[in-house]
Amino acid sequence: MSRQSYKEKRSTPPKVYSVPYIQMFKENNARQGFVEQDEFARMAAEAHLDGLWMRALLEVAYTYGWRRGEMLGLQVRQVDLYARTIRLDPGTTKNGEGREVMMTPEVEELLRAAVAKKKPNDSVFTREGDEPIKDFRGAWRNLCVRAGTGRWECRKCGVTLTGTKCECSGVRKYVGLIPHDFRRSAAKAARRAGVPESVIMAMGGWKTPSMFRRYAIVSSADQRAAVELIVRERTEKTLSPRSAPQPRSRPLRRKAGDANCPISHSK
């Protein structure tokens, strides 16, 4: 329905009397793909081959779950080493809202080296010669392949490749982690650490709880608590005397000659 017809429908009296029904397809937009701690450690160990920018980028992405564009657009003036904060200006994020986070010791150490001798409007993440990072897909894929979180695969036959071409003359394609997986992983790690959901949403830029829940993130602490409640409930029911089956008592059968027998006999 066009914007004009929508306004006509809301007018009083309405200028249109019927609106066509358009069936919408169901979209399965649940997010998948996570980076575990050991995988991140391997990637961080291999990142030095690409330079300081890659190592710092990984740390920021895994800590705060920021989008790629938000990190690449970060400037030196937004990093406050004295207050140990990083600020994303309003209008530079996807939802248009600004954010400010505290730096962890690892993030502070890496960003301190990344912004050294740079001007306030220079980019934080730069290659040698202070060239701003704009596209790092090639470096990312090679990093993941070295760390074992990705691989090269033949587009034609699907076998894993170590070179650029396959014996079947097929070219290679990348299969593995993508930068957006770090966004999901940061939220999962924060939930595991016990950070409230509202704080994680503010840190990562999720505007509504429904958007955050699309990532299907459940903390391991919540899972353990749920299992403990289930086990406790079952244990209490098993040990409770009321829950155990009681033996059925039979009525006492008395003989006619007993003194307590309610039946009287007369000659």
Side-chain angles (χ1 to χ4, degrees):
M1 182 171 56
S2 65
R3 181 175 298 179
Q4 182 179 1
S5 62
Y6 179 72
K7 291 181 178 179
E8 291 174 349
K9 181 67 177 177
R10 294 191 63 183
S11 63
T12 305
K15 297 181 180 180
V16 294
Y17 296 97
S18 63
V19 179
Y21 171 73
I22 302 176
Q23 184 179 2
M24 305 298 291
F25 292 100
K26 184 178 180 180
E27 181 182 4
N28 184 13
N29 55 4
R31 307 310 191 192
Q32 300 177 356
F34 294 95
V35 183
E36 299 299 337
Q37 182 62 38
D38 58 337
E39 295 175 328
F40 172 74
R42 296 199 305 268
M43 295 182 67
E46 293 288 340
H48 71 278
L49 297 178
D50 299 295
L52 174 63
W53 68 269
M54 178 64 85
R55 178 65 186 91
L57 191 74
L58 286 178
E59 194 67 38
V60 172
Y62 192 67
T63 303
Y64 307 112
W66 286 353
R67 299 176 180 89
R68 178 175 54 183
E70 295 171 347
M71 293 185 294
L72 296 184
L74 199 63
Q75 296 182 347
V76 175
R77 61 177 178 81
Q78 297 172 266
V79 179
D80 191 338
L81 295 175
Y82 179 78
R84 296 183 58 197
T85 60
I86 311 173
R87 183 184 69 258
L88 294 180
D89 296 333
T92 61
T93 62
K94 185 177 180 180
N95 60 14
E97 299 179 354
R99 299 199 297 274
E100 184 174 280
V101 297
M102 293 292 298
M103 288 188 282
T104 64
E106 293 79 7
V107 171
E108 180 185 3
E109 180 181 359
L110 291 168
L111 291 189
R112 185 180 295 274
V115 303
K117 300 181 181 180
K118 289 183 179 179
K119 299 179 181 179
N121 292 331
D122 289 344
S123 298
V124 173
F125 303 105
T126 57
R127 292 186 172 91
E128 294 183 2
D130 292 341
E131 178 186 359
I133 305 297
K134 296 181 179 180
D135 187 2
F136 60 97
R137 284 176 293 182
W140 174 271
R141 293 169 182 175
N142 290 328
L143 169 63
C144 291
V145 172
R146 295 196 306 267
T149 56
R151 67 182 186 278
W152 295 110
E153 189 177 277
C154 177
R155 291 181 179 271
K156 190 174 182 180
C157 64
V159 300
T160 302
L161 300 178
T162 56
T164 57
K165 289 186 178 181
C166 182
E167 295 180 354
C168 68
S169 71
V171 296
R172 68 180 184 177
K173 68 175 180 179
Y174 171 76
V175 179
L177 292 177
I178 60 175
H180 200 79
D181 290 333
F182 271 58
R183 180 165 173 78
R184 296 183 277 272
S185 304
K188 182 179 179 180
R191 290 287 285 121
R192 181 186 300 153
V195 180
E197 182 176 307
S198 59
V199 178
I200 302 174
M201 290 173 55
M203 181 177 64
W206 287 281
K207 201 167 185 178
T208 62
S210 60
M211 295 175 62
F212 179 78
R213 294 190 183 102
R214 286 167 58 187
Y215 288 76
I217 298 169
V218 180
S219 69
S220 57
D222 291 343
Q223 294 282 8
R224 287 195 300 270
V227 172
E228 289 175 359
L229 289 174
I230 294 173
V231 173
R232 184 187 308 169
E233 179 69 15
R234 292 179 178 177
T235 303
E236 290 177 354
K237 287 186 176 181
T238 302
L239 298 179
S240 175
R242 295 182 178 180
S243 62
Q246 299 294 331
R248 297 180 60 183
S249 58
R250 297 181 178 180
L252 181 62
R253 301 181 64 180
R254 303 179 184 277
K255 297 181 180 180
D258 293 344
N260 296 330
C261 179
I263 304 176
S264 60
H265 300 273
S266 60
K267 297 182 179 179

